[in-house]
Amino acid sequence: MTPEVPEGSGDDRRISRKTLLKAALVAGAVPLLAGGGVALARDAGTSGKPLALTPDCDDGDDPTHEQIEGPYFKPNSPLRSSLVDASTPGVRLTVSGYVFGRSCKPISGVLLDFWQADTNGAYDMNGFAFRGHQFTDQSGAFSLTTIVPGLYPGRTRHIHVKVQAPGSRILTTQLYFPDEPRNNTDMLFDPALLMNVRDIGSGREGTFDFVLDVEQGPTNPPTDPPTDPPTGGTWAAGTNYNAGDRVTYNGVTYRCLQAHSAMPGWEPPNVPALWERG
């Protein structure tokens, strides 16, 4: 039987592969992320057999769970990895990690769209404060600079995110903070979505790895579902598109929702987060 972590310890989940990987750092056997975090799935997926959507790629107990979008999402967020400047009030927070597929291989070019409350617990519905999207780099890594979100009635502290690999469905979920009193009363709180968080000087640093339900073969990014070459149109991989740009693809007109650099797999019909018809 897997030992249980005692209640009140700040982590009521089972001892996980993440915990074992951290212990292995003593022997220097586990590679590190930039900034000192553990590369949780770097040593997995070498058997050649596709894995189920399992904790081997995540935190040792559950797959990355979906959660509701909530009432405060807005499309067209800016392309940026920092949601703050020097004058932004609040406790600074960096959230970093990797995005993996079902074979525990990191996925590049994954869209992550973050939104959250400000330090007073309010969402900006007029502009795009504390909203922004980014893409994972060639190693599948992402990093977000923001603040610790404030509290508002009925919810514990959390950060919203939509995650989408090229040509795949959108995962909508939320990230949570350990040792928050309201974790016990928030009806949406899911301990499987807890970040690892530590204090760094006057700020905080959180880490979390996402696992997407994406089959992975010998190529990365994945090519499933297959992408057919356009039979005619103006969309082209390698082009930098801005919000509002219009293209045609297979005889249909699309409007760009978020600035991005097009790549194979991100054809307009495959990525509703980036393109809409019209």
Side-chain angles (χ1 to χ4, degrees):
M1 176 179 294
T2 304
E4 294 285 330
V5 179
E7 291 186 1
S9 67
D11 189 345
D12 295 335
R13 297 172 294 167
R14 293 171 296 172
I15 292 175
S16 67
R17 182 172 178 273
K18 180 184 294 180
T19 306
L20 298 176
L21 283 171
K22 285 185 175 179
L25 288 175
V26 176
V30 180
L32 300 177
L33 306 183
V38 181
L40 299 179
R42 288 296 189 185
D43 59 345
T46 58
S47 66
K49 298 179 180 179
L51 300 177
L53 193 59
T54 68
D56 284 348
C57 303
D58 189 8
D59 65 2
D61 11 38
D62 287 304
T64 304
H65 293 180
E66 295 192 58
Q67 291 218 312
I68 64 171
E69 177 181 285
Y72 301 118
F73 174 71
K74 290 176 60 177
N76 308 326
S77 70
L79 175 62
R80 59 188 180 186
S81 59
S82 177
L83 309 183
V84 300
D85 59 32
S87 63
T88 304
V91 176
R92 291 296 188 270
L93 170 70
T94 299
V95 179
S96 61
Y98 285 87
V99 180
F100 298 102
R102 292 188 63 167
S103 295
C104 289
K105 298 176 184 177
I107 309 175
S108 63
V110 174
L111 171 67
L112 299 103
D113 196 347
F114 294 95
W115 72 102
Q116 68 171 79
D118 65 17
T119 192
N120 297 314
Y123 287 83
D124 179 12
M125 299 306 296
N126 296 316
F128 289 94
F130 298 107
R131 300 175 185 272
H133 73 276
Q134 60 180 278
F135 297 89
T136 56
D137 64 17
Q138 289 300 310
S139 66
F142 71 91
S143 181
L144 176 73
T145 303
T146 182
I147 63 165
V148 176
L151 295 167
Y152 59 91
R155 293 304 317 272
T156 190
R157 298 187 201 277
H158 61 281
I159 297 174
H160 295 269
V161 59
K162 290 180 179 287
V163 188
Q164 185 181 25
S168 300
R169 61 183 293 273
I170 299 171
L171 167 72
T172 300
T173 192
Q174 302 178 38
L175 302 180
Y176 294 98
F177 295 76
D179 303 318
E180 286 288 332
R182 289 197 188 180
N183 288 351
N184 297 321
T185 58
D186 188 330
M187 297 298 292
L188 294 177
F189 171 72
D190 184 345
L193 299 172
L194 280 168
M195 296 182 286
N196 283 327
V197 180
R198 61 176 179 170
D199 294 332
I200 302 292
S202 60
R204 307 185 78 186
E205 181 181 88
T207 57
F208 190 89
D209 289 346
F210 296 94
V211 183
L212 301 182
D213 191 5
V214 172
E215 297 287 352
Q216 294 178 294
T219 60
N220 186 34
T223 57
D224 186 17
T227 56
D228 297 325
T231 57
T234 59
W235 182 90
T239 304
N240 292 321
Y241 291 107
N242 296 312
D245 289 349
R246 280 184 162 80
V247 299
T248 56
Y249 184 84
N250 285 347
V252 178
T253 300
Y254 295 88
R255 184 176 70 88
C256 180
L257 295 176
Q258 305 192 66
H260 66 283
S261 180
M263 65 179 72
W266 289 107
E267 290 83 359
N270 294 335
V271 279
L274 298 179
W275 297 97
E276 69 175 2
R277 286 175 174 250

